Amino acid sequence: MSRLVVGPFNRVEGDLEVRLEVVADRVKTAHVVSPLYRGFEEMLKGKDPRDGLVISPRICGICSISQSIAAAEALGAAQGLVPVPNGQLVSNIVHAVENIADHLTHFYMFFMPDFTRDIYRDQPWFADITTRFAAMTGSAVQDMLPARAEFIHIVGLLAGKWPHTLALQPGGVTRVVSPSEIQRLLAILTAFRRFLQRHVFGCEPEAFSAIKSVAALDAWADKQPATSGDLRRFLQVSRSLDLDRLGRATDRFLGFGAYRHPNGHLFARGLADISGPLQLNTGLITEDISSAWMQGNGQPLHPFEGETTPDADMADGYTWCKAPRLEGQVAEVGALARQVVTGNPLALDMVAQHGGNVAARIVARFIEVALLVPSIEGWLRDISPPDPFMQHADMPDQGQGAGLVEAARGALGHWIRIKDGKIANYQIIAPTTWNFSPRDHTGQAGPLEIALQGAPVRAGETDPVSVQHIVRSFDPCMVCTVH
Amino acid sequence: MSMPASNRRNLLWLQSGGCGGCTMSLLGAEGPDFLTAFEAAGINVLWHPALSRETGHEAMAIIDDILAGRIVLDILCLEGSVMMGPNGSGKFHMMAGSGKPMKDMIDALAQQAKHVVGVGSCAAFGGITMAGGNPGEACGLGYEGRTKGGLLGDDYIDQSGLPVVNIPGCPVHPDWVTETLSQLALGLMAPDHLDGYGRPHAISGTLVHHGCARNEFYEYKASAEKLCQIGCMMENLGCKGTQAAGDCNKRSWNGSGSCISGGYPCIACTEPGFEEPGHSFVETPKIAGIPVGLPTDMPKAWFIALASLSKAATPPRLRKNATADRIRVYPQRPKKGKNT
C-alpha cells in the first residue's frame, strides 16, 4: 500500500487536497480535504437581514448569482415576498447566463487541459486535443473567452456586473428592462448561438438537446469528424478512455430545482436514483460534523438549527467541510443530478447504463447549455416592459426562510432565522459541500470519496490522472464548500 | 509580435481567503482578452490556481523552484485575504499539499518577488472576509482594513521602492488588473503612481460618481426612496459613489454595466473597510436629516447650502422620475410639427 497526497489540486475554484491510499494500482480509500475556512455564517450573525444580499454572494466568485438568488429567496420566504413576474424572468435569465458561463469555464479551462498531459502522448487524438485545449495557450480558449465575455454582457446590462451583483432582491430586480434592450439582448444570444454552433456542438443547440439516448448520442458523435466541434472531441476522448466507467458514486441524485415559472421549475426539484424518482423532504437534510474541524454536540442538525463553530484542533477532523446528508445518506448534486431528477431522457439513459460517471457529468452540462439558450430567448420575449420589475415588503422582526436553488455545480441552500430584526442564524450548504463531504458518524464517505474508490493508478504516478478526471468531473467549487 | 524571451516577466498567482471572483472577473476582460494583454506585456504565468495545467506535485515544484531562487519571480499576485486565524496560527488555510499555513507560503514567496500585488480588496485590505468581527482573522498583504501593516508589515517596500500594489474592488475590474500588471511588467510603475493605500491613481484618481448616469438627479437632490427607482441613491439608499475610488461609471463593466446602472447603490467596494459600513448597505445614515458620508472634498456647510438650494430648484421632471422605476416624464421638447 502507498499513500499519496495530491495538492494544491488546482483548476477546481479554490484550494483542495486529496489524500489517497493506493493498493495494487487502484485507489483503495480517499479522504477529501477542504483546507480553507472563512466563516461567512459567523459573519452574518447579528447583521441586518438585507446585508445578506451583499455578503453572501461574495462566498463565491463563480456562482455569485446563484448565491444571490438563494439569499433573496430565503429573505423573501421570511418576508412572505416573491419576485414579480418580470423580476423572476430577469432572475432566471442572469442565473442561466451564469450557469452556462460556468459550464464553459469548467469544460474549457478546468477539465479538458488534463487530456493534454504527456501520459496520453500515444493517443491518436493527442495532437489535436493539445493544440485545442493546452492550458492558457490552446486555440479553444481563444475562441471561448471572447464569446463568454460577450455572453456575460447580458448580466452587465441586466444586473450591473458579474460577479457580485445586488440587483437580485426578494421582490424582483432593481432595474427595469426596456423593449430596445430586449432586442439588444436577443442579438447577444444570436452571437452566442453562432459560437456554440461553430465551436461547441457543430449544430444548433436544439438539434443536440433532441438527443434522447446514449445510442443516439453515439450516432450523433459519429455523424461528423471529432474535429468538427469540441463536444465531439470530448466524446472521442471519452470513448477511448472509457470515461463512462470512471467515478461512480452512489447514484442518489438531488436537485433543488432551477429557473422558476408559475407552475414550478424548468429543472425540477426532487430526488432520484437509477430506479426512478424518490420522495424529497428537505426537512430531513442534516449536517454532520464528525470529520470536520467543528465543535458541536455531535448530533447532525438541520440547517435551521445548524451551528458553525470552528476548532482547528479537533482530533477526528480532516477537513473544514461539514457532511450534509439527506435522511442520513449522501447525495450527488450537479448538472447530471439535475437532469436525472428532471427526467431528461439522455441523462436517464446515461445513468441507467453506468450510473453517475465522469462522461455523463460532462455531457449533462452540454444538455443544459443546449436547453437553456432557447429558454433565455423565451424568457426575454416573456418580459412585459410596462409592468413592474420589483415589489417591496417590510422585513419582519422575527421569521425564518429557506432559499433552495441550483448553482452550476448543484444544489445550493441558504437557511436564515431572523430575531429582533437581526440575523440570528444563517446556514449555507453549497453544492460541493454535498459532493466533497467527509465521512459522517456512521463512517459513510462523501460522494467524491466513494467515486474515487477503485480509480486506476499508473506506475509512478504521483498525481494520478484518473483521480484528476474524477475530481474535476464534479466541477468543484472549494470556496463555496466551506465558505 | 510577441516579446523576446529575455524580456518576459514571470508571474505567480496565489489564492487564499477569497471567492475567486477576481479571477472570474479577469476572464471577462475584453479589447483584448487577458491572455492577449499578458502576451503584449510579456507576462509569463508561472502558475495560476485556476488556469495552469500543473497540479499537485508539479505545482509545488514550481513554487519550490521560486523559493530556492532557481526561477525568478517578477510579480507575485495574491487574490483573497491572508488567513491569520485561528489565534495567529494560519490553520484556517493550510496550503493543500504543503502542510504549511498559506500565510507563511505567501510571506516566503513575497520575499522572493520583485513586486507584490494585492488583487482585489481582500488581498489589499482584508475585504469582505473581515466582515462581522473577522472570524478568520483575515488581513491584506499590506493593510488590515485601513491600518497599514497586514501580513508583510507596515515597512514593506519592494526592490524598486514600491509598496504592495493594491488593485481594489470586489471584484476587480478586469482592465484594472491587466493595465496595472502590464505597467509593472514593463517597469513603468513608480511610487508616485500610487495613492496612500497603494492603489494606482489610474484607478483611485476617479470617483465612482464621475460619469454616473444619475448625475442630474444628484445635482438636484432628486432622490430615490426605494430600490428600483431611478433617482439619486445617495440620500436614502446608501450610495457611496461620491466617496469611492473607481472609474466604474466611465469604464463600464461586462459590456455596459455598473452597480448604479444595475439599479443598486455603490457600496464602496474599492475602499478599505467597506465590509463594515456601520449601517445597512442599502440605507444612508443621517444626522438631523443630513447624510453622514459627504461627497469627497466637500465642506459640510457648503453641501448643506447647495443641497437645500438645489432641492428648491428641482424641476418637476426630476422630482417625478426620481421615485419612478423608469423615465415617466421626458425632457421638454418642441411640440410636434413645430420647427425649433
Side-chain angles (χ1 to χ4, degrees), chain A residues 30 45 203 223 267 354 415:
Chain A
K45 265 191 193 177
C203 63
K223 213 160 58 181
F267 298 154
H354 301 296
W415 288 263

Side-chain angles (χ1 to χ4, degrees), chain A residues 8 10-11 13 15-17 37 43 47 50-51 58 61 116-117 153 159-160 162 174-175 313 385 387 463, chain B residues 19 30 49 52-58 91-93 96-97 131 170 254 257-258 261-262 264 276 281 283 326:
Chain A
N10 74 329
R11 281 180 280 115
E13 189 63 21
D15 202 9
L16 167 69
E17 182 173 292
Y37 175 83
M43 284 176 211
K47 295 272 181 205
R50 294 170 296 174
D51 287 350
R58 289 173 162 83
T116 70
R117 293 183 176 283
H153 285 193
W162 186 85
T174 55
R175 182 193 191 286
D313 300 318
D387 293 334
D463 309 288
Chain B
C19 71
E30 290 176 280
S52 294
R53 190 181 72 177
E54 294 85 356
T55 209
H57 295 81
E58 307 155 319
K91 288 182 180 174
F92 281 145
H93 187 191
C170 188
N254 304 109
S258 77
S261 78
Y264 48 94
E276 281 296 330
F281 285 99
E283 214 170 78
R326 67 201 74 192

Side-chain angles (χ1 to χ4, degrees), chain A residues 164-221:
Chain A
H164 304 336
T165 177
L166 191 49
L168 301 158
Q169 297 283 326
V173 293
T174 55
R175 182 193 191 286
V176 304
V177 187
S178 70
S180 63
E181 288 168 344
I182 291 172
Q183 295 313 310
R184 174 141 58 110
L185 294 166
L186 287 167
I188 292 172
L189 282 160
T190 300
F192 188 64
R193 273 180 175 270
R194 187 182 302 138
F195 162 76
L196 293 177
Q197 203 273 339
R198 238 176 233 173
H199 296 296
V200 178
F201 295 117
C203 63
E204 287 298 326
E206 287 85 350
F208 182 74
S209 56
I211 296 170
K212 303 239 179 308
S213 67
V214 172
L217 179 68
D218 286 341
W220 177 84

Side-chain angles (χ1 to χ4, degrees), chain B residues 83-108:
Chain B
M83 302 304 293
M84 303 298 283
N87 302 315
S89 68
K91 288 182 180 174
F92 281 145
H93 187 191
M94 301 292 281
M95 186 185 183
S98 77
K100 291 180 187 144
M102 189 65 176
K103 72 178 175 70
D104 295 346
M105 297 295 283
I106 297 164
D107 196 13

Side-chain angles (χ1 to χ4, degrees), chain A residues 5-11 13-17 35-40 42-43 47-48 50-51 54-55 58-62 105 109-110 113 116-117 135-136 141 145 148-150 152-153 156-157 159-167 169 173-176 184 310 312-313 320 385-390 392 462-463 468 472 479, chain B residues 15-21 24-25 27-30 33-35 45 47-60 83 86 91-98 128-132 135-136 170-171 226-229 253-259 261-265 267 269 274-276 279-283 325-326 328:
Chain A
V5 177
V6 186
F9 208 121
N10 74 329
R11 281 180 280 115
E13 189 63 21
D15 202 9
L16 167 69
E17 182 173 292
L36 172 65
Y37 175 83
R38 284 177 294 160
F40 274 81
E42 289 179 85
M43 284 176 211
K47 295 272 181 205
D48 185 312
R50 294 170 296 174
D51 287 350
V54 172
I55 295 170
R58 289 173 162 83
I59 289 169
C60 181
I62 196 163
T105 308
M109 307 198 80
F110 297 168
T116 70
R117 293 183 176 283
M136 289 189 278
V141 79
L145 279 177
R148 176 185 174 281
E150 189 179 277
I152 296 176
H153 285 193
L157 193 152
K161 71 180 195 297
W162 186 85
H164 304 336
T165 177
L166 191 49
Q169 297 283 326
V173 293
T174 55
R175 182 193 191 286
V176 304
R184 174 141 58 110
D313 300 318
W320 289 111
D387 293 334
F389 284 71
M390 185 171 172
H392 299 268
T462 53
D463 309 288
Q468 301 199 45
R472 295 196 178 99
V479 296
Chain B
Q15 293 175 332
S16 189
C19 71
M24 283 300 122
S25 187
L27 296 191
E30 290 176 280
D33 66 85
F34 80 100
L35 290 171
V45 179
W47 191 71
H48 184 298
L51 308 175
S52 294
R53 190 181 72 177
E54 294 85 356
T55 209
H57 295 81
E58 307 155 319
M60 285 310 298
M83 302 304 293
K91 288 182 180 174
F92 281 145
H93 187 191
M94 301 292 281
M95 186 185 183
S98 77
I128 201 78
T129 318
M130 283 181 70
C170 188
K226 292 176 173 175
L227 290 170
C228 204
Q229 296 177 347
W253 291 70
N254 304 109
S256 60
S258 77
C259 293
S261 78
Y264 48 94
I267 59 169
C269 73
F274 89 92
E275 67 280 357
E276 281 296 330
H279 55 83
S280 166
F281 285 99
V282 290
E283 214 170 78
D325 66 356
R326 67 201 74 192
R328 295 290 184 194

Side-chain angles (χ1 to χ4, degrees), chain B residues 275-338:
Chain B
E275 67 280 357
E276 281 296 330
H279 55 83
S280 166
F281 285 99
V282 290
E283 214 170 78
T284 306
K286 293 174 197 166
I287 295 173
I290 310 293
V292 170
L294 293 176
T296 302
D297 305 324
M298 184 89 169
K300 188 175 179 182
W302 276 107
F303 180 79
I304 293 166
L306 287 173
S308 57
L309 190 63
S310 57
K311 268 205 171 187
T314 305
R317 168 174 63 85
L318 294 175
R319 195 174 305 126
K320 285 188 180 132
N321 286 338
T323 54
D325 66 356
R326 67 201 74 192
I327 298 172
R328 295 290 184 194
V329 182
Y330 292 103
Q332 275 192 23
R333 305 278 192 235
K335 292 255 177 354
K336 271 180 192 166
K338 273 191 188 170

